[in-house]
């Protein structure tokens, strides 16, 4: 083998050996680690309350059947009177009305008295609107009125803030643990994705009668409007740190 090639091979070998030595040294250094968890919790008052209302045709004494179109008009008029924008009102489902269910349409042809129904979802921004809307509804047409879910207009932004707080908490926990055993905290080696611990509050379905009973109690005690149950946003995170 040519002497020049020999020298090049030797130099390459020495560089590789040096790299491996440094690499093993770094790995050995980073094998001294500490893992800490962090958590953050925030409670927020919802400003988005989604209620679902089921309306259905009914028979009225001395008048006959009150059809769905009239019921819808009165319902939308009530929503408009409360300042609820059309964009915050959506149709969840129809029942035996728009021809989307052939079986119900067939039954309706055989029995014209079959009552049609519709279910709306309305987004409200405060609890007082719930009572106001219930007061304006046609009691005979309203089959169900329940809160489907609650949320907040800045929910995603708040979730990010809570995740950052959990990360900061993890570092603080790692710092005091190191201090307790006379070690120094190094850089983060592995940061695991924050995990959401809690879910947003969802109220169980309530019938119209149950809701009215709740309102009757509220009116009898003459309590001021209270905020709806708060949404809990909680995140937990684990971080592995090197020890210096």
């Amino acid at each position: 083998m040519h002497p020049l090639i020999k020298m090049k091979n030797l130099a390459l070998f020495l560089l590789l050996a040096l790299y491996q030595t440094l690499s093993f040294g770094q790995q050995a250094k980073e094998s001294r680690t500490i893992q800490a968890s962090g958590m953050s919790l925030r409670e927020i008052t919802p400003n988005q309350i989604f209620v679902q209302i089921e309306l259905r045709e009914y028979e009225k004494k001395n008048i006959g059947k009150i059809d769905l179109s009239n019921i819808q008009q009165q319902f939308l008029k009530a929503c408009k009177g409360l300042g609820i924008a059309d964009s915050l009102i959506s149709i969840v489902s129809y029942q035996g009305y728009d021809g989307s269910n052939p079986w119900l349409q067939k039954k309706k042809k055989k029995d014209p008295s079959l009552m049609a129904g519709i279910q709306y979802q309305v987004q409200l921004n405060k609890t007082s609107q719930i009572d106001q809307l219930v007061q304006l509804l046609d009691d005979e047409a309203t089959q169900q009125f329940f809160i489907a879910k609650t949320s907040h207009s800045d929910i995603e932004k708040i979730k990010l803030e809570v995740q950052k707080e959990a990360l900061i908490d993890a570092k603080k926990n790692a710092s005091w643990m190191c201090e307790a055993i006379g070690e120094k905290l190094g850089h983060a080696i592995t940061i695991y994705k924050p995990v959401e611990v809690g879910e947003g509050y969802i109220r169980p379905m309530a019938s119209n009668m149950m809701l009215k009973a709740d309102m009757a109690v509220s009116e009898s005690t003459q309590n001021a409007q209270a905020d709806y149950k708060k949404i809990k946003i909680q995140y937990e995170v684990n971080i592995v740190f090197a020890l210096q």
Side-chain angles (χ1 to χ4, degrees), residues 6-203:
K6 259 182 148 182
M7 288 182 65
K8 284 184 178 180
N9 288 342
L10 180 61
L12 182 61
F13 174 78
L14 291 173
L15 284 173
L16 182 60
L18 179 61
Y19 171 77
Q20 289 178 336
T21 301
L22 292 173
S23 178
F24 289 148
Q26 182 67 19
Q27 289 177 10
K29 186 178 179 181
E30 292 194 351
S31 65
R32 297 181 65 251
T33 62
I34 184 170
Q35 181 169 323
S37 62
M39 186 175 289
S40 181
L41 168 66
R42 193 181 299 187
E43 294 186 346
I44 58 173
T45 300
N47 63 6
Q48 294 178 333
I49 304 171
F50 297 86
V51 299
Q52 289 192 13
I53 305 104
E54 183 183 337
L55 306 172
R56 190 175 293 277
E57 295 175 333
Y58 64 94
E59 292 285 343
K60 194 165 187 177
K61 190 175 180 181
N62 301 324
I63 294 178
K65 187 172 75 171
I66 307 300
D67 63 42
L68 195 59
S69 59
N70 288 333
I71 294 170
Q72 286 181 271
Q73 287 175 14
Q74 291 301 314
F75 171 74
L76 295 173
K77 183 179 178 181
C79 291
K80 187 175 181 180
L82 293 177
I84 301 171
D86 291 342
S87 59
L88 301 180
I89 305 170
S90 58
I91 296 172
V92 177
S93 65
Y94 281 110
Q95 293 183 5
Y97 173 74
D98 66 345
S100 61
N101 190 323
W103 181 77
L104 283 174
Q105 287 301 309
K106 182 180 178 181
K107 282 192 69 178
K108 194 168 180 66
K109 286 178 181 178
K110 291 182 178 179
D111 182 8
S113 64
L114 182 67
M115 303 303 182
I118 187 170
Q119 190 172 55
Y120 284 99
Q121 178 167 281
V122 182
Q123 180 183 325
L124 308 175
N125 56 30
K126 50 188 177 183
T127 54
S128 60
Q129 288 181 312
I130 298 175
D131 292 344
Q132 291 169 357
L133 183 56
V134 169
Q135 294 294 343
L136 296 175
L137 291 176
D138 183 334
D139 289 347
E140 294 185 77
T142 306
Q143 301 301 302
Q144 282 191 351
F145 184 114
F146 63 93
I147 295 171
K149 64 177 180 178
T150 61
S151 189
H152 193 282
S153 54
D154 292 325
I155 190 76
E156 295 305 322
K157 178 183 176 183
I158 294 170
K159 283 185 175 184
L160 286 175
E161 292 174 354
V162 176
Q163 290 179 58
K164 289 178 182 178
E165 290 168 2
L167 290 164
I168 292 170
D169 185 54
K171 187 173 183 180
K172 286 181 180 178
N173 290 335
S175 295
W176 72 256
M177 285 192 290
C178 285
E179 184 179 349
I181 58 175
E183 294 282 355
K184 288 186 178 181
L185 187 67
H187 62 276
I189 297 175
T190 305
I191 302 174
Y192 295 96
K193 184 179 179 181
V195 176
E196 189 168 7
V197 179
E199 296 293 335
Y201 179 79
I202 299 179
R203 182 178 179 176

Side-chain angles (χ1 to χ4, degrees), residues 221-237:
T221 56
Q222 295 182 349
N223 287 333
Q225 286 292 334
D227 288 332
Y228 202 71
K229 186 178 177 81
K230 291 186 176 181
I231 300 170
K232 290 184 178 181
I233 300 176
Q234 186 173 10
Y235 276 90
E236 184 175 5
V237 66

